[in-house]
Amino acid sequence: MRKCLWLWGLLFFALGFAWSITAERNPCTERISGSAGDVLEDDPVGRLKVYVYELPSKYNKKILQKDPRCLSHMFAAEIFMHRFLLSSPVRTLNPEEADWFYTPIYATCDLTPTGLPLPFKSPRMVRSAIQLISSSWPYWNRTEGADHFFVVPHDFGACFHYQVTDSSLPRLAGILPILRRATLVQTFGQRNHVCLNEGSITIPPYAPPQKMRARQIPPDTPRSIFVYFRGLFCDVNNDPECGYYARGARAAVWENFKSNPLFDISTEHPTTYYEDMQRAIFCLCPLGWAPWSPRLVEAVVFGCIPVIIADDIVLPFADAIPWEEIGVSVAEEDVPKLDKILTSIPSHVILRKQRLLANPSMKRAMLFPQSTLPGDAFHQILNGLARKLPHPKSVYLNPGEKILNWTAGPITDLKPW
Amino acid sequence: MKLSALQQSYLGRRSNSFRSSGPLDSSSDGAFKSPAAVFWLVLHGLSCLISLLLGFRFSRLVFLLLSTSSTYTSPFHSPTELAKTLDIRSVIPADPVGNVPLPFPNKTATNSRVVVGRHGIRIRPWPHPNPVEVMKAHRIIERVQTEQRLQFGVKDPRKIIVVTPTYVRTFQSLHLTGVMHSLMLVPYDLVWIVVEAGGVSNETASLIAKSGLRTIHVGFNQRMPNSWDGRHKLETKMRLRGLRIVREKKLDGIVIFADDSNMHSMELFDEIQNVKWFGAVSVGILASSANIDETVVEKRGEEENPRMPVQGPACNVSNMLAGWHTFNTLPFAGKSAVYIDDRATVLPRKLEWSGFILNSSLLWKDGDKPEWMKDIDTLDGDIESPLDLVKDPSVVEPLGSCGRRVLLWWLRVEARADSKFPPRWIIDPPLEITVPSKRTPWPDTPPELPSHEKPVIRIQEPIIKHTTKTRTSRSKRRSKRKHDETRTDRGTTGFDKTLQN
């Protein structure tokens, strides 16, 4: 009898000990249980195969040579994705066994002297590339692009004529017609918007990882700024009344909180921008002309809770990252009450969000490092593509069947590139 | 075509691109002349001209006048498709009661909450900080910082035991308040042992009671002598008395000596948590320099800039203790103050007590402590420097990145020994007579002043006529005054003048 008790006691003790070892005991960070169940740490290798088309260098390398600024601006993901895929284990040289096909076109690398991309020639470029691949390989015609993916990190994704949203001009509005069946990997995400296809993968914009790592301050520096934001409130060159830019939300933030000492907001470009973000508790990420911005990536990397002010935005990797638990979402109409909303968050919730942000896998998932790490944004893109497999039977077309309208679009877009 | 040119320029400006983009080719056919469009264009041009003349945005004013909304939103414009599309529709006139948004067609696909077009800027009626929210935010910031300190700061912080010798004198308030405020800011547990020469007094007790810290206030039954030398010796005895209290009560923590005239930085308290047994930090010596200016500066003319002398541990390249920096007393030979009233430089000792930190278990009778620590009961107060507490000075741990960081400063400023001050700095009974002075220090004011007795007494801060507290050892310049009264009344007149101006 006593022996039994002793044995039971030992068993319980052993179980408790084992549980305490395996449970996450790190008080600093917390595991993110994603909505799809810890998918941030999935390894895509072995789950999919990607074939990279060999396009002439005028579509990629030559453009980059003309303007090396493309490697450091926020649209650089398209270039780094190409480089990553060329040396990744998911790449296959046999197109017959590939699940996905990648076309390396640097469509966002045509820059103005000030460094902003002009997407107006991109339709012609994409069109000419697709004509090339459809004539040299049979895989495009097999599915009309449904098992192909393209990286289009521009402001409005693959809507190269982004000014046009009127449905009376369908030839201009929306996603480029020939890309409508392909999977688009883009930074733009807004629900019920023509520029976001069902099944697109939203990614974060490119932010330079080395620069951010180099400017880290000691973690015991107390966070003394309550809310931080640096950027434009009103794009006076294009919208003097400030009613169009950011749908009036940024101007509302300024008007309501410019005199509030808790809100460190201004239009300056300080040299200590990264360091300041590490000393702030909340970082505002309001929409601009487009709903996304690199501020989200910077906030996550520096441990500042992102306050997202963009109605209907689709955040990066939304099916893998539970953004409501990590950041704070504020409707644009609630901007005048922003201080009340932020101060009414209980402090244990704030501390939990900070712990989730401190998780290194969270930070890695937002970055495109030069030498790839497990769990970084490249892997998350591949995870997203792997989750869409296997392709449904409907993507495969009968020979001779055509769905896409190759002549859609303005006459200028149909000119060869 | 002038009209279409106007439209073109308007479109070019309003189009969504902050990039210098080429216009789309198909846009040139977009213009057509509907009367409503023409009317609005003309109106827009007119308001632009008026704005130019007036210098501010005229349209805002108009809408302000027209709008009756209480929430101060600039009213929703009609959806001016000018911005988003290329052809101009007939524009629906703006509703003067701007609150109700007109039902306009969604430019985006169905079921979207997002509306394209011009939006009003929502401003709440009182766009200024709300004090309740500010306080809540500060509490959140405090909580976050406490958490940060728990995670990244010192692990298992130990209690700090502060030993301060003091005595009642004119400058005690000044010095003790400074130390008290520094100690109140320390984020760790604290015990403050205040040893007072001349016995426990209400003066000191009332001062330290304001701190809210845990204090142990004991008296020492000797009066503070008038010479600096005697004062230093007595302070050493008082510190040993404080250490005996630590031993009696078996207090556990880190013992530091905070002289009441020193200045401590907050990093000091973080750094001393790293001590194991016996540590030393660098102390900056601010020997009062008013009198040495003339003589010393000449001597050091050819040398490099005179740096502030620092007392503390000196390390060699491998960050091991190699020696001690002590204060160089040679420049002051013969010129240093002997008595407290002297107007000469007050020199520190070779090594100040305030630069040394002890683990309190070194002071206990029993318990495991290293054998190099002497028992404080065997010592009897004739200790030159704190290094006499240990048998082997090489065991001292240098703190503050091996003595390179100066974490506290030493300064001795005192009033004359016979100076008087109102007890507890309360004027009671109130002053009766104030005599205006005949001269003022401001040259451009008239020399003769009418005597206002009443207003002067009412407004001025209480100035004690008898005190000589401003005549410190450093105020040699002021010794040229003839009367104390005259000088204090100058102060009075000063207040008077500022009021008149």
Side-chain angles (χ1 to χ4, degrees):
Chain A
M1 182 59 184
R2 209 177 280 174
K3 215 180 183 179
C4 256
L5 277 175
W6 185 80
L7 214 60
W8 275 111
L10 195 64
L11 194 68
F12 274 124
F13 179 72
L15 275 175
F17 195 60
W19 176 82
S20 70
I21 288 183
T22 53
E24 281 291 335
R25 275 303 187 88
N26 190 353
C28 300
T29 70
E30 202 169 302
R31 276 180 70 102
I32 304 166
S33 23
S35 45
D38 293 332
V39 291
L40 280 185
E41 285 147 36
D42 279 352
D43 190 6
V45 175
R47 292 169 62 197
L48 79 165
K49 293 239 171 279
V50 176
Y51 178 74
V52 182
Y53 283 123
E54 293 275 336
L55 286 185
S57 58
K58 69 169 181 171
Y59 292 102
N60 33 56
K61 291 204 187 68
K62 285 228 179 86
I63 302 183
L64 184 56
Q65 269 167 4
K66 259 189 264 174
D67 200 341
R69 284 179 298 178
C70 293
L71 278 174
S72 52
H73 65 177
M74 57 176 132
F75 310 103
E78 56 185 2
I79 302 169
F80 290 115
M81 188 70 191
H82 183 203
R83 292 188 184 176
F84 165 73
L85 283 173
L86 285 177
S87 53
S88 159
V90 302
R91 181 191 185 190
T92 167
L93 296 169
N94 177 10
E96 288 300 326
E97 62 169 14
D99 301 304
W100 288 100
F101 294 84
Y102 172 65
T103 322
I105 315 174
Y106 299 169
T108 330
C109 199
D110 188 9
L111 303 182
T112 65
T114 51
L116 298 165
L118 301 174
F120 303 107
K121 294 205 205 114
S122 309
R124 289 164 54 197
M125 189 164 119
V126 172
R127 186 184 215 95
S128 122
I130 294 180
Q131 268 166 347
L132 183 65
I133 59 177
S134 61
S135 50
S136 317
W137 287 276
Y139 308 103
W140 177 272
N141 293 329
R142 200 170 61 169
T143 57
E144 290 250 283
D147 55 354
H148 290 57
F149 72 93
F150 293 82
V151 180
V152 279
H154 186 61
D155 271 30
F156 286 87
C159 286
F160 297 114
H161 298 293
Y162 51 83
Q163 295 110 314
V164 182
T165 47
D166 183 19
S167 45
S168 69
L169 284 172
R171 50 200 184 96
L172 278 188
I175 300 179
L176 195 65
I178 41 176
L179 288 179
R180 293 217 177 132
R181 277 173 65 90
T183 296
L184 296 170
V185 178
Q186 59 189 44
T187 50
F188 174 82
Q190 188 172 315
R191 280 190 277 275
N192 300 317
H193 197 277
V194 284
C195 298
L196 183 70
N197 244 354
E198 277 289 330
S200 293
I201 298 177
T202 355
I203 60 169
Y206 176 75
Q210 289 93 328
K211 251 196 235 172
M212 295 202 283
R213 203 172 303 132
R215 301 263 285 274
Q216 283 187 324
I217 62 177
D220 59 347
T221 315
R223 287 190 186 259
S224 46
I225 303 176
F226 192 61
V227 175
Y228 187 76
F229 176 75
R230 288 287 183 271
L232 280 180
F233 295 100
C234 188
D235 190 0
V236 277
N237 296 326
N238 295 294
D239 178 29
E241 298 268 316
C242 310
Y244 291 96
Y245 181 59
R247 293 196 280 270
R250 286 199 188 192
V253 168
W254 175 252
E255 292 298 330
N256 280 300
F257 302 110
K258 60 187 174 189
S259 60
N260 195 326
L262 296 170
F263 282 67
D264 188 353
I265 57 180
S266 93
T267 51
E268 287 178 358
H269 285 155
T271 45
T272 53
Y273 178 59
Y274 287 153
E275 287 83 354
D276 289 342
M277 268 195 154
Q278 293 172 69
R279 289 195 303 120
I281 300 183
F282 290 104
C283 287
L284 294 185
C285 304
L287 71 162
W289 287 115
W292 59 271
S293 86
R295 284 187 187 88
L296 185 67
V297 178
E298 288 159 358
V300 169
V301 170
F302 292 129
C304 181
I305 301 175
V307 179
I308 298 155
I309 310 175
D311 286 347
D312 283 352
I313 187 175
V314 176
L315 291 167
F317 305 129
D319 52 346
I321 300 178
W323 285 104
E324 331 75 49
E325 293 187 38
I326 293 169
V328 180
S329 224
V330 176
E332 287 165 29
E333 58 185 3
D334 288 334
V335 164
K337 296 186 282 189
L338 189 61
D339 60 345
K340 200 187 293 196
I341 295 173
L342 292 179
T343 55
S344 59
I345 303 176
S347 45
H348 68 271
V349 172
I350 292 180
L351 291 177
R352 175 158 188 267
K353 286 185 203 275
Q354 290 190 322
R355 281 198 298 270
L356 287 170
L357 283 170
N359 195 340
S361 64
M362 179 70 204
K363 296 191 209 274
R364 256 182 280 141
M366 289 282 116
L367 293 174
F368 295 94
Q370 292 284 34
S371 46
T372 180
L373 295 166
D376 62 11
F378 299 118
H379 288 94
Q380 305 302 333
I381 298 175
L382 292 178
N383 280 336
L385 290 169
R387 283 195 284 273
K388 294 181 77 172
L389 290 175
H391 295 296
K393 283 276 180 290
S394 52
V395 306
Y396 295 103
L397 305 174
N398 300 322
E401 192 181 339
K402 289 234 174 272
I403 298 184
L404 292 181
N405 182 355
W406 279 75
T407 53
I411 315 279
T412 47
D413 281 354
L414 299 174
K415 286 191 219 152
W417 186 75
Chain B
M1 281 300 108
K2 200 174 169 194
L3 223 56
S4 69
L6 253 176
Q7 286 166 358
Q8 271 296 67
S9 64
Y10 188 78
L11 286 172
R13 197 166 52 80
R14 278 306 187 93
S15 71
N16 229 345
S17 51
F18 48 92
R19 303 120 192 204
S20 53
S21 57
L24 296 173
D25 293 335
S26 43
S27 61
S28 44
D29 302 328
F32 61 88
K33 308 151 193 77
S34 90
V38 168
F39 164 69
W40 280 105
L41 269 173
V42 166
L43 190 66
H44 180 86
L46 210 62
S47 45
C48 272
L49 282 170
I50 299 178
S51 310
L52 270 174
L53 288 172
L54 289 175
F56 65 89
R57 229 182 283 155
F58 177 64
S59 53
R60 269 270 164 92
L61 188 64
V62 169
F63 288 121
L64 229 160
L65 293 171
L66 291 178
S67 140
T68 57
S69 75
S70 63
T71 57
Y72 196 81
T73 22
S74 51
F76 271 87
H77 263 202
S78 64
T80 54
E81 280 86 349
L82 295 167
K84 293 291 173 191
T85 65
L86 298 174
D87 50 341
I88 305 165
R89 301 222 175 131
S90 57
V91 174
I92 309 163
D95 196 12
V97 183
N99 237 350
V100 180
L102 299 165
F104 34 75
N106 267 340
K107 289 289 146 274
T108 59
T110 54
N111 304 326
S112 170
R113 256 195 318 156
V114 168
V115 165
V116 165
R118 184 174 171 166
H119 292 246
I121 301 171
R122 295 180 180 88
I123 305 175
R124 59 192 193 192
W126 178 249
H128 294 291
N130 179 346
V132 174
E133 308 299 334
V134 171
M135 278 322 295
K136 278 200 229 172
H138 279 292
R139 262 175 238 129
I140 292 177
I141 295 177
E142 259 179 60
R143 181 71 190 88
V144 168
Q145 289 185 358
T146 319
E147 187 69 24
Q148 274 185 286
R149 207 178 296 127
L150 281 175
Q151 284 179 15
F152 304 109
V154 178
K155 296 274 177 271
D156 304 321
R158 292 176 276 178
K159 186 155 67 174
I160 301 186
I161 303 163
V162 185
V163 176
T164 302
T166 184
Y167 70 104
V168 177
R169 68 234 191 247
T170 312
F171 273 31
Q172 184 203 29
S173 239
L174 172 78
H175 294 316
L176 210 56
T177 312
V179 173
M180 189 169 79
H181 287 167
S182 302
L183 295 180
M184 281 159 74
L185 284 176
V186 173
Y188 311 113
D189 282 338
L190 201 87
V191 174
W192 195 13
I193 301 179
V194 180
V195 185
E196 190 175 347
V200 172
S201 72
N202 282 338
E203 190 82 26
T204 318
S206 63
L207 255 182
I208 62 180
K210 287 189 226 164
S211 66
L213 302 166
R214 181 174 156 211
T215 52
I216 300 175
H217 187 186
V218 288
F220 198 76
N221 286 326
Q222 277 182 48
R223 306 217 52 195
M224 196 59 97
N226 204 23
S227 67
W228 283 110
D229 208 33
R231 182 173 160 176
H232 284 135
K233 287 202 167 66
L234 190 63
E235 277 182 354
T236 309
K237 290 198 191 136
M238 283 156 62
R239 289 189 190 104
L240 286 178
R241 176 78 179 84
L243 292 182
R244 276 189 202 103
I245 295 179
V246 175
R247 161 185 276 224
E248 280 159 29
K249 297 200 187 237
K250 276 204 105 151
L251 295 176
D252 185 23
I254 303 173
V255 180
I256 91 168
F257 300 102
D259 292 350
D260 59 1
S261 54
N262 288 358
M263 265 129 292
H264 310 88
S265 69
M266 288 298 115
E267 288 83 17
L268 171 72
F269 298 101
D270 292 329
E271 186 66 28
I272 61 179
Q273 296 281 351
N274 297 331
V275 78
K276 267 185 63 197
W277 292 111
F278 200 104
V281 289
S282 290
V283 184
I285 304 294
L286 304 169
S288 66
S289 54
N291 302 312
I292 67 170
D293 270 350
E294 305 98 33
T295 48
V296 175
V297 169
E298 288 161 20
K299 273 194 201 154
R300 293 196 197 172
E302 297 94 34
E303 297 173 21
E304 68 271 9
N305 298 332
R307 272 172 280 162
M308 184 185 77
V310 170
Q311 266 187 10
C315 289
N316 58 14
V317 265
S318 50
N319 278 349
M320 307 285 288
L321 183 68
W324 299 91
H325 291 301
T326 60
F327 189 72
N328 182 13
T329 53
L330 283 183
F332 304 95
K335 283 199 286 274
S336 67
V338 173
Y339 291 99
I340 291 184
D341 325 19
D342 285 356
R343 281 183 231 114
T345 323
V346 181
L347 295 182
R349 305 262 92 179
K350 267 252 150 50
L351 282 173
E352 280 293 321
W353 278 82
S354 40
F356 289 88
I357 296 108
L358 285 78
N359 187 335
S360 65
S361 48
L362 286 175
L363 302 162
W364 296 346
K365 283 196 184 58
D366 43 5
D368 56 340
K369 51 183 185 181
E371 45 86 36
W372 43 254
M373 183 68 188
K374 294 184 199 166
D375 197 334
I376 54 172
D377 278 344
T378 59
L379 307 167
D380 210 11
D382 208 11
I383 306 185
E384 261 299 315
S385 93
L387 288 180
D388 290 339
L389 288 172
V390 294
K391 295 177 191 150
D392 176 18
S394 63
V395 296
V396 179
E397 304 150 36
L399 298 173
S401 40
C402 215
R404 279 190 280 275
R405 286 173 59 194
V406 174
L407 297 170
L408 70 159
W409 295 269
W410 177 98
L411 175 66
R412 282 278 184 270
V413 174
E414 295 292 349
R416 272 168 57 124
D418 59 345
S419 67
K420 293 190 189 38
F421 62 98
R424 296 200 213 170
W425 291 99
I426 296 173
I427 309 285
D428 187 23
L431 298 179
E432 294 160 8
I433 302 171
T434 317
V435 178
S437 78
K438 299 182 183 58
R439 279 171 305 175
T440 72
W442 288 275
D444 50 350
T445 51
E448 296 296 323
L449 291 168
S451 59
H452 323 271
E453 294 243 62
K454 262 171 118 171
V456 163
I457 295 177
R458 223 188 330 122
I459 313 149
Q460 65 172 346
E461 289 302 295
I463 295 180
I464 302 170
K465 292 180 60 190
H466 306 292
T467 190
T468 54
K469 70 180 190 298
T470 48
R471 288 183 60 195
T472 67
S473 55
R474 281 187 292 175
S475 58
K476 203 177 175 186
R477 290 158 256 176
R478 300 199 195 163
S479 61
K480 294 189 186 136
R481 306 265 162 73
K482 290 184 190 157
H483 317 282
D484 287 350
E485 280 179 23
T486 322
R487 195 172 34 76
T488 36
D489 296 332
R490 242 184 231 190
T492 327
T493 334
F495 287 120
D496 203 27
K497 280 322 291 176
T498 49
L499 281 157
Q500 279 182 351
N501 289 342

